[in-house]
Amino acid sequence: MATAAGFLKQLKVLAATTGHAEPVKEALSVISRMTNAGLEKVGMKSATLTTLAGQATTELLGDSFYSQAAILHGDYFAKVVLAPVATELVALSGKALGVSGHPDAIRGSIQRYFAALPAVWELRVQLATDIEAMPVEDSATEWPEDESPYVAVVRVTANPQQSWSEELWAEIESGLAFNPWIGLAAHRPLGSIMRARKPAYAAAREYRGQANGIRIEEPSIL
């Protein structure tokens, strides 16, 4: 979404389906994906239909994760991406993941991977070199990589490990809060989407803590 106002509009569309029965939502998702596929063949795509349909289910560890919205990068504006570089991760990119009858398919896939293999990603930064072509307030505009390519700044390595357990879930997923505003001032979020996320994340943290009867902490910056 380009702005916070546009994001709110999409959320309202999504919220309208929340109370519907699962078969109805599944049918709507299939129809939306088929329509979007037709639009893509003629060089078009509907953000609304993508929101309703959801993305294709593929191996999560093969994906690259883009900030989409801009952040401050010292004296510059930037976008970032965390991209897989380990051979085993790259091989998973776009690979279909069977989820039928497996409600925890993504979790299981990640558990099986980390039971035996390490993972390596690169954090890459794209600097804004032309504020007209690379706007900060419009998060929907893709910054042209031919004008400013992503540059690798660090590698992140995760060794083989137990990636999920009830204890980890209780400590991390239930007990910690994460948001783009937990960080250094030199890398603070930019744009209306990011500004809207700050109070939204704070409200979500408070609600989770009250609903679960626990105190939620934020990760500290070392």
Side-chain angles (χ1 to χ4, degrees), residues 3-78:
T3 63
F7 185 56
L8 177 60
K9 182 179 178 180
Q10 291 291 70
L11 283 180
K12 288 180 177 179
V13 174
L14 186 61
T17 70
T18 300
H20 292 183
E22 281 303 313
V24 175
K25 291 196 288 186
E26 289 178 6
L28 178 61
S29 179
V30 170
I31 293 170
S32 299
R33 284 198 297 270
M34 292 174 63
T35 304
N36 233 5
L39 289 173
E40 286 184 337
K41 288 182 179 179
V42 293
M44 301 169 63
K45 188 174 182 179
S46 167
T48 298
L49 290 177
T50 298
T51 300
L52 291 173
Q55 295 293 344
T57 306
T58 57
E59 292 281 357
L60 184 68
L61 290 176
D63 288 347
S64 294
F65 297 91
Y66 292 82
S67 64
Q68 184 161 334
I71 64 170
L72 196 65
H73 189 70
D75 295 329
Y76 302 90
F77 303 146

Side-chain angles (χ1 to χ4, degrees), residues 94-193:
K95 184 178 179 181
L97 175 65
V99 298
S100 180
H102 302 283
D104 298 323
I106 295 177
R107 177 196 300 170
S109 173
I110 294 173
Q111 283 181 288
R112 289 190 295 273
Y113 182 94
F114 277 109
L117 296 170
V120 183
W121 297 268
E122 272 185 355
L123 181 67
R124 300 168 184 167
V125 174
Q126 181 188 32
L127 300 181
T129 56
D130 180 346
I131 200 62
E132 296 298 325
M134 307 174 188
V136 169
E137 290 297 326
D138 183 352
S139 298
T141 297
E142 185 174 351
W143 293 3
E145 292 188 45
D146 57 340
E147 294 187 26
S148 180
Y150 280 92
V151 177
V153 294
V154 69
R155 285 199 168 193
V156 180
T157 300
N159 293 320
Q161 59 190 279
Q162 181 183 16
S163 63
W164 189 92
S165 69
E166 289 287 349
E167 293 76 17
L168 286 172
W169 174 83
E171 179 180 351
I172 299 174
E173 294 187 36
S174 294
L176 291 178
F178 299 86
N179 76 72
W181 290 86
I182 302 174
L184 300 175
H187 300 298
R188 72 177 182 272
L190 301 172
S192 68
I193 289 284

